[in-house]
């Protein structure tokens, strides 16, 4: 990174010093910037402001007043009102970098701040945050979905690189689909694995994590390396009888999980058929087993 592209040492303020905000603030401090203020609603956020960022929690408008770069790391549903509220109360936004970390929102949500003279950035870290001490370590090498006006693109990308991340440019209009892809992969995986663990416990498996870990690790490695060609299991084999047994067992044991299984099995069959991994006649047998049309 050329010196001309490297942001000057910035006074950083974090509005919403929760899991994400405290980790990113700490990463920017590690890169040489100064965290000068932070705000938080919950007790845990205020504690992280002190423990991770070394600042006493204050009001959002005070964070804006003290900072050159304002990180808005609040829940998505809170973000529009936060931005409009700060702009509406005359917070000192003129000439300041204002960055949010939402995956689904682009730059439009920052319009009130832009009208007040701020410089908008969208920097979404592609990582799950637990609030534990290893959050900061996990930031190293991750991707960030970056959206910014062309003139601010070097600054946005430089900030990500300084946090030891990899900037990936996402067009403003594409951010909802981009975020849906990430949430579908990560969040739904957690739900599926938790559900599978509970079902295994129900049949007497004492440590389902030990059983699932190697299987899921191999499956993840396969799909990241091979895409849909890494698919294994009864659907891609066309084992309609086995799939029907799965559905029947789930209807009795966990009806709410049966619907999800059927929907995912249909999607799996559809993708396998399109990739040439599943023959049409096998797909028809699966269709009967699943009780619906995999092409709808």
């Amino acid at each position: 990174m050329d010196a001309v592209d490297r942001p000057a040492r910035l006074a950083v303020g974090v509005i919403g010093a929760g899991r994400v905000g405290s980790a990113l603030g700490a990463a920017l401090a590690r890169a040489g910037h100064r965290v000068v203020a932070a705000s938080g609603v919950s007790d845990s956020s205020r504690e992280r402001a002190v423990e991770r960022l070394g600042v006493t929690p204050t009001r959002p408008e005070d964070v804006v007043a003290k900072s050159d770069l304002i990180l808005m790391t609040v829940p998505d549903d809170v973000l529009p009102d936060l931005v409009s509220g700060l702009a509406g109360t005359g917070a000192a936004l003129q000439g300041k970098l204002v960055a949010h970390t939402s995956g689904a929102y682009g730059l439009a949500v920052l319009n009130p701040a832009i009208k007040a003279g701020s410089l908008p950035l969208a920097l979404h870290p592609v990582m799950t945050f637990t609030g534990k001490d290893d959050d900061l370590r996990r930031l190293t090498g991750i991707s960030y979905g970056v959206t910014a006006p062309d003139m601010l693109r070097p600054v946005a990308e430089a900030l990500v690189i300084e946090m030891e991340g990899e900037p990936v440019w996402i067009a403003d209009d594409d951010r909802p689909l981009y975020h849906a892809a990430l949430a579908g992969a990560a969040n739904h995986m957690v739900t599926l694995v938790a559900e599978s663990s509970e079902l295994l416990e129900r049949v007497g498996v004492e440590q389902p994590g030990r059983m699932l870990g190697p299987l899921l690790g191999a499956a993840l490695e396969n799909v990241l390396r091979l895409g849909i060609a890494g698919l294994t299991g009864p659907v891609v084999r066309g084992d309609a009888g086995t799939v029907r047994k799965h559905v029947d067992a789930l209807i009795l044991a966990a009806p709410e999980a049966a619907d999800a299984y059927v929907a995912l099995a249909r999607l799996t069959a559809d993708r396998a058929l399109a990739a040439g991994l599943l023959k049409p006649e096998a797909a028809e047998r699966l269709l009967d087993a699943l009780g619906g049309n995999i092409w709808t």
Side-chain angles (χ1 to χ4, degrees), residues 203-269:
V203 299
V205 177
E206 294 183 357
Q207 298 184 54
R210 289 186 62 180
M211 179 177 284
L212 288 169
L215 173 67
L216 297 178
L220 180 60
E221 181 182 351
N222 286 343
V223 70
L224 292 178
R225 182 168 53 92
L226 302 172
I228 195 66
L231 182 64
T232 63
V235 171
V236 74
R237 292 194 301 265
D239 291 338
T242 296
V243 169
R244 186 67 242 179
K245 287 181 180 180
H246 292 175
V247 174
D248 290 342
L250 287 169
I251 288 173
L252 291 175
E256 68 285 352
D259 289 341
Y261 180 96
V262 169
L264 287 170
R266 288 176 179 168
L267 180 60
T268 301

Side-chain angles (χ1 to χ4, degrees), residues 60-84:
E61 52 267 40
D62 294 331
V63 174
V64 173
K66 295 177 180 179
S67 306
D68 304 315
L69 167 62
I70 301 130
L71 286 181
M72 295 186 173
T73 52
V74 298
D76 287 359
D77 287 350
V78 175
L79 184 59
D81 287 343
L82 171 64
V83 178
S84 60

